[in-house]
Amino acid sequence: MENSSLKQENAQHRVWLILAISAAAGLVAIWIPVGLIIVPALWAYAGARTKPVWMALPAVIYAVGVFSFYTAVAAIGMIVCVAGTTAVLYYMQTKRVSNTYTALTLAGVFLLGLYISVALPGVMSGDGAFAAIVSALDEMIDFYRQALSQAGAANAEYVSMANTYLDALSDAMPSYIVPALCIFAGALGLGNLLFFRLFCKKHSEIALPPMRAFRYWSLPRSMMFGLLLLLVGSLVLEWSGWTFADSFGNTVNVLVGMPLLLQGLCVIDFLIVRKKKSVSTRRAIIYTAIGILFSIAQMPLILIGCFEQIFHFRIRVQTMPPRTM
């Protein structure tokens, strides 16, 4: 009896510890938004280890903190980001929904919350969506202009060329805000899914859908049909001369390119493991090179991902009979 009550007491202590860590992580994420890559995963894990209703405790604490730090509209957007993704993550994973669709749904909820936080205040004030971000970027560009003009030894031709580039950057920035939000939302969605599964890894009582090794990740065909429609729509709008065609086209490029790039990385990892020699060393060297040369490597990776989606290279290689002399 004593051992049983002691185990029960220890279990209760662990539950409260998990909830306390979840609440603390949420408060930290108010000041350090990058923390959103793990906070919903912690809250969902707390719900999986206890009861779903307990996820409301860190959510309420977070809501109080975020309303005291942000404007009301921005705070609502942040709550949608964190509380919404927590609920989606817990529900979809415990209901054993596909990991791919879970990650996509999480990214969608994150994007909605970020859009509310960033765009809606400007819309409501009449300044226009992303007015605050555009103003901050213009201030940064003006700072560089002043720095160039005050550099007495600077070549006049160089200053003129730099100002031309800064003008082009200032004009292009608004069309890249939504794509940047898409990239951030995608990273947050995938990150929370992976962290949640990592937290639950040693708890067999939490039933989750199986996840294949990274080298075997693939995009469902139904998803590619939707991405193809987006590409066609983007081209049509660009040809029509729509005012926001550039922004929409950049967003579509990100939405199409991100999953294909990730699949390209999976193919590279598949080839590394298939060699069976010095796998860890090869991974370290190749991934470091990709990180350093990412601006050059991203297009080849997207093409590799597209090639894999069309020809299913990995499946063909695995089912290919061994070579004989």
Side-chain angles (χ1 to χ4, degrees):
M1 289 292 291
E2 291 181 3
N3 289 336
S4 178
S5 61
L6 183 61
K7 288 181 179 179
Q8 187 175 3
E9 185 177 349
N10 288 336
Q12 290 177 348
H13 285 319
R14 283 195 295 270
V15 167
W16 284 109
L17 178 62
I18 293 169
L19 291 172
I21 292 173
S22 301
L27 291 175
V28 171
I30 295 174
W31 291 277
I32 309 176
V34 178
L36 294 177
I37 200 169
I38 195 173
V39 170
L42 267 174
W43 293 9
Y45 171 67
R49 286 294 309 277
T50 58
K51 293 180 180 179
V53 69
W54 282 111
M55 293 189 296
L57 179 61
V60 169
I61 295 173
Y62 177 82
V64 172
V66 81
F67 269 106
S68 64
F69 190 74
Y70 293 98
T71 62
V73 176
I76 291 171
M78 297 304 294
I79 291 170
V80 169
C81 276
V82 186
T85 51
T86 298
V88 167
L89 178 59
Y90 174 84
Y91 177 82
M92 295 187 76
Q93 283 290 282
T94 55
K95 296 298 182 182
R96 301 176 67 84
V97 177
S98 162
N99 293 304
T100 301
Y101 288 112
T102 300
L104 290 173
T105 306
L106 290 175
V109 177
F110 267 121
L111 182 59
L112 174 62
L114 291 172
Y115 190 87
I116 291 172
S117 297
V118 174
L120 206 55
V123 173
M124 295 180 68
S125 66
D127 296 330
F130 312 121
I133 293 180
V134 172
S135 176
L137 292 173
D138 285 341
E139 287 180 7
M140 183 178 68
I141 290 173
D142 288 340
F143 171 79
Y144 285 115
R145 290 186 198 279
Q146 292 175 7
L148 283 170
S149 64
Q150 292 173 2
N155 184 281
E157 185 178 349
Y158 170 77
V159 171
S160 176
M161 182 178 66
N163 281 323
T164 302
Y165 281 123
L166 289 174
D167 288 338
L169 181 64
S170 178
D171 293 337
M173 275 298 180
S175 66
Y176 285 100
I177 294 175
V178 174
L181 291 179
C182 290
I183 293 172
F184 191 42
L188 291 176
L190 180 60
N192 274 283
L193 172 63
L194 296 178
F195 274 117
F196 175 73
R197 296 187 65 90
L198 178 64
F199 297 149
C200 298
K201 188 175 182 180
K202 295 183 179 179
H203 302 282
S204 56
E205 71 277 8
I206 305 175
L208 301 177
M211 177 176 280
R212 291 177 290 180
F214 178 70
R215 61 185 178 275
Y216 297 124
W217 287 9
S218 61
L219 301 176
R221 292 186 179 182
S222 57
M223 177 182 171
M224 291 309 300
F225 180 73
L227 295 179
L228 181 61
L229 286 179
L230 281 176
L231 279 175
V232 173
S234 173
L235 290 172
V236 170
L237 290 174
E238 186 174 349
W239 291 334
S240 69
W242 185 44
T243 307
F244 302 105
D246 289 342
S247 179
F248 184 77
N250 292 332
T251 303
V252 169
N253 289 338
V254 168
L255 293 176
V256 174
M258 279 182 62
L260 290 176
L261 188 149
L262 183 61
Q263 182 159 269
L265 281 173
C266 297
V267 174
I268 296 296
D269 196 66
F270 174 83
L271 295 174
I272 293 172
V273 175
R274 187 172 171 80
K275 288 288 184 181
K276 297 182 180 179
K277 291 182 179 180
S278 305
V279 173
S280 298
T281 304
R282 286 174 180 269
R283 273 180 172 155
I285 294 172
I286 292 174
Y287 287 159
T288 300
I290 290 174
I292 294 172
L293 303 172
F294 184 74
S295 59
I296 301 173
Q298 57 181 327
M299 185 53 66
L301 286 172
I302 291 172
L303 292 175
I304 292 171
C306 187
F307 177 86
E308 164 63 21
Q309 191 66 22
I310 296 171
F311 298 104
H312 305 290
F313 165 77
R314 289 171 293 178
I315 295 176
R316 292 175 182 272
V317 169
Q318 290 179 87
T319 56
M320 189 181 297
R323 290 183 179 181
T324 56
M325 294 297 292

